[in-house]
Amino acid sequence: MHSRKKRRSLVIKQHQTLIKIRYCAEKNNHNGSWHVPKRRARKHPLASRRPMSAFLRFSKSCRKKVRVDNPHVDNTDIS
């Protein structure tokens, strides 16, 4: 039983060595950038949006009232 574990351990180490040799060879032959930029998938233009939160609904209704009372104020100042 003990010899099986040793044999298995030896086989695993040999396999790891082969993988490391292959990795180093591929790394040396590689031309170009190591970092691949992550690109976010574009959202479909007709896809539905998230529903408005309660605060956004409230502020939208209050913004209308403030706009009527103060027509000369910019929207950024109201928000």
Side-chain angles (χ1 to χ4, degrees):
M1 184 80 170
H2 189 64
S3 63
R4 276 188 181 176
K5 287 184 179 180
K6 280 189 174 182
R7 216 175 321 139
R8 174 106 173 115
S9 173
L10 183 63
V11 170
I12 289 173
K13 285 183 182 181
Q14 288 173 346
H15 184 68
Q16 289 172 343
T17 306
L18 290 175
I19 290 174
K20 187 171 183 177
I21 292 170
R22 189 180 78 209
Y23 168 75
C24 290
E26 288 180 7
K27 187 176 177 183
N28 290 335
N29 293 333
H30 178 73
N31 295 328
S33 175
W34 287 106
H35 301 286
V36 178
K38 293 183 180 179
R39 294 186 183 170
R40 187 174 182 178
R42 291 183 184 240
K43 192 171 182 180
H44 192 273
L46 299 178
S48 60
R49 293 183 170 189
R50 296 174 81 181
M52 261 200 238
S53 67
F55 175 74
L56 286 177
R57 287 180 188 265
F58 169 75
S59 63
K60 189 175 180 181
S61 65
C62 287
R63 192 178 297 127
K64 287 180 184 178
K65 294 174 189 173
V66 173
R67 192 82 163 142
V68 170
D69 295 341
N70 304 309
H72 61 281
V73 178
D74 290 336
N75 191 30
T76 55
D77 294 333
I78 295 172
S79 298

